[in-house]
Amino acid sequence: MRYALLALGLAARNSFACQRDWAGLHKRIHKHQGRSHTKRHFVEFPPSLTETESILVNSFDSKSIDSWSYYYTHGDHLGGHNYSMAEWTMDHWNDAGFNATIQEFWIWYTALIETALKLNRPDGSIHEVSLIEDMLAEDPTTSYPNRIPAYHAMSASGNVSAEYVYVGRGTQADFQVLKDAGIELEGKIALSMYGGIYRGTKVKNAQDNGMAACVLFTDPLDDGEITEVNGYLPYPDGPARNPSMIQRGSVRFASLYSGDPSTVGYASEKEGPRNDVAPYNPSIPSVPISMKDAVPILQALDGSGVSAEAANRSDWHGAFQNVSYSSGPTPGATLDMNHLMNETIAPVWDVIGVINGTHPEEGVLVVGNHRDAWVIGGAADPNSGSAILIELARAFGKLVEKGWKPRRTIILGSWDAEEFGLQGSTEWVETHLPWLITNAIAYLNIDVAVSGPRTALSGSGEIQTIAIEMMKKVIFPDTWGTGPTLYDMWYNTTEGEIAPLGSGSDYAAFYHNGISAIDIGSDGGKTDPVYHYHGHYDSYAWMEKFGDPGFQVHTAMGQWLTLIAYHIADDVLIPWDVPNAGKVLRVHYEDLSDTLAEGYPDLTLDLSPISDAITAFDEAAERITSTASLALASNDAVLIEVVNSKYRGFSRGFASVGGLPGRPTFKNVVSAPGLDNGYGADVFPAVQDSLSAGESEEALAWVEKSAAAILRAAEILKI
Ligand SMILES: *[C@@H]1O[C@H](CO)[C@@H](O)[C@H](O)[C@H]1NC(C)=O
Ligand SMILES: *[C@@H]1O[C@H](CO)[C@@H](O)[C@H](O)[C@H]1NC(C)=O
Ligand SMILES: *[C@@H]1O[C@H](CO)[C@@H](O)[C@H](O)[C@H]1NC(C)=O
Ligand SMILES: *[C@@H]1O[C@H](CO)[C@@H](O)[C@H](O)[C@H]1NC(C)=O
Ligand SMILES: *[C@@H]1O[C@H](CO)[C@@H](O)[C@H](O)[C@H]1NC(C)=O
Ligand SMILES: *[C@@H]1O[C@H](CO)[C@@H](O)[C@H](O)[C@H]1NC(C)=O
Ligand SMILES: *[C@@H]1O[C@H](CO)[C@@H](O)[C@H](O)[C@H]1NC(C)=O
Ligand SMILES: *[C@@H]1O[C@H](CO)[C@@H](O)[C@H](O)[C@H]1NC(C)=O
Ligand SMILES: [Zn+2]
């Protein structure tokens, strides 16, 4: 297979819900070149494992994972659609030795009733758009009778017939180009390319410019090397994107809240109080379309309005060969959108599995993955992670059979309704918040465990070291020539760079309440088979043939997650590297300084309170690390308990009561999704947001508050 042998490189694929911000990571790699905080480590090979680690690692069986994957990818399991899949998950966790139950939440969302889109050309001819993918004989679940048409969760209803305008990626700067050129936007339909920024932000920008509806299309621009133009056959015959594939997804205003938009900041109950959802979701309708249907719609604009050359915006000109990417409108070229959504409050089901620890006072580790998928398949998103959690439960079950119990409680979460907006995880966290604030040690998230071979890790500084150490104990399939261990693949992919968390998956509610969290998984680079994100071809058939033949990458990811979880739950000392948390804060601080120097050259904002707070944090981190060594060496049970309680608690300091400006449930002062572009995570977001809103007084106040948050964390660490 030729694509497996090409040189490595990652495509600038877009971020958010279930997708990682690889473009943002690459910017960080470039920026930190020369002062990267993680140099390549020497890796012992073959790795040496303790007896318990061996039991866990050897328990993983790629054939079993294959069969769990097969189960999860052969039935409708959109959020709230599949109770029996929740039961199946519960039964398998129970069989493995976890005590599992189903927890129900009633959430508000919009469900599709009907949707249709049609192009009317000036010459009177018509093109009907297909809002569902082609059925393929080679991919059985694409012809299931209850397969789900393409739509946007949380989109508004509307019947709109209007001329339309191509708006590039749909960023504020793209809209500015059109306004500067005098293109009338009011009442027209926006046609935007997917990618670059989060889809909901494109819809919001269209709405803010007075437009009546929004159509989002997939363009081969984001497919790296693997395109038909480069000679690759489309799926199912080859690794390129199938032209009929459509990217579904939520268009909620994701940088403002997580979870149920009718209960922002508190748990959803069937008959409980609900707030107005209007501020949180678009008021105009939007639909996604395929490459195949985008071409004629773009072609009808050729030669009208602003040309791609005149627009002079990066990524404005996509990769279709026979389209000029003119803005239009073309007089008489119109779209008819008929889009009807049903506002509903309906149940969704989380599965929660528990093994109580022998030291309940030392708290709980939560490991989670969402179960709901946009399509019948969902082989990558999210059920590569779901299949792994079954195997992880069975691996721990092997130890439980021998009478083992972890020192600290382990909770597994199988979340429902992540795709609509992280509802299952957020409502569970909100239901148990006071208990979690006291007891949670960390949250480990695995969403898209495998959509390709390139390893991803993001999240809290104190967890990074144990996560990296465990990579070195996992053997990686040698198909890609990166080296024998998962560590080699990860280092090859990231050069040791680790991004902070935004809100792209179920870690958000944990992280923004000050609970340490990481997100792990693996994706394709620009020379790997194209993964059909949120489309029907994210299926078992694709995974088996292109994504991970033999389920070897699944096995490696599962072994890695299991080893991390085992050490956090069972080591005498929680395996935190708190000095690394300080280093990470310092890198974020330098990034903040650089961003402000570039973006606001005339600004004099004194950031030294943050720098001083990090220095105080570093001192506390060094001191507790020495105390921890001492406690371990002397086996002093009281001191061990003191250190563990500080390790568990210090990250709560990063959560600011009342939240970040304009978004009260995003509380972590260290990182949050970018407000305007939804593009991965911003560091010290409240400072940046205040400045971009022109509020320099508020920015100054947030420098103080961010510093105070770091000092709170340092104070908790103090012995
Ligand atoms: C739920 O998912 C399972 C497994 O994929 C499938 O067999 C079953 O038919 C689904 N149930 C419904 C109601 O679609
Ligand atoms: C499982 O947990 C439930 C609720 O915490 C409890 O009532 C039940 O006794 C537990 N079952 C076992 C086998 O421990
Ligand atoms: C775990 O412990 C809690 C109390 O700390 C108890 O309520 C629960 O039933 C226990 N669950 C299991 C599975 O033993
Ligand atoms: C849109 O038009 C269809 C008929 O074409 C109608 O059934 C539907 O109620 C209309 N929806 C709205 C929101 O006006
Ligand atoms: C296009 O924009 C770049 C800056 O992004 C500028 O340097 C260049 O001169 C512009 N070209 C034209 C033709 O306006
Ligand atoms: C335009 O190009 C696409 C491939 O990019 C091709 O499938 C399509 O047939 C072409 N259409 C026309 C009208 O040339
Ligand atoms: C809309 O949702 C309500 C409440 O869940 C439900 O009773 C009704 O049947 C739905 N209507 C349609 C047309 O799906
Ligand atoms: C990654 O692996 C490829 C293939 O072995 C190699 O050419 C490349 O230099 C490696 N990159 C890094 C950053 O290690
Ligand atoms: Zn997902």
Side-chain angles (χ1 to χ4, degrees), residues 461-463 465 574-585 617-618 620-622 624-625 628 643 646-648 650 654 713-714 717:
E462 57 277 16
I463 316 183
T465 303
I574 297 170
W576 278 181
D577 184 346
V578 188
N580 188 62
K583 282 187 205 151
V584 169
L585 286 172
F617 183 93
D618 288 340
E622 287 307 334
I624 192 147
T625 305
V643 171
K646 288 176 176 295
Y647 277 3
R648 189 178 69 233
F650 82 92
F654 298 134
L717 283 176

Side-chain angles (χ1 to χ4, degrees), residues 193 205 211 524 535:
M193 191 194 290
N205 290 340
M211 301 191 79

Side-chain angles (χ1 to χ4, degrees), residues 19 156 170 187 354 487 513 536 704 715:
Q19 241 190 352
V354 185
Y487 177 85
N513 282 298
H536 275 174
E704 295 291 348
E715 196 59 38

Side-chain angles (χ1 to χ4, degrees), residues 56 65 68 107 149 182 214 264 272 323 333 456 477 540 554 563 576 590 653:
L56 292 170
I65 297 179
W68 315 137
I107 62 159
C214 190
V264 176
V323 166
Y540 180 82
H554 281 72
L563 289 176
W576 278 181
E590 286 165 2

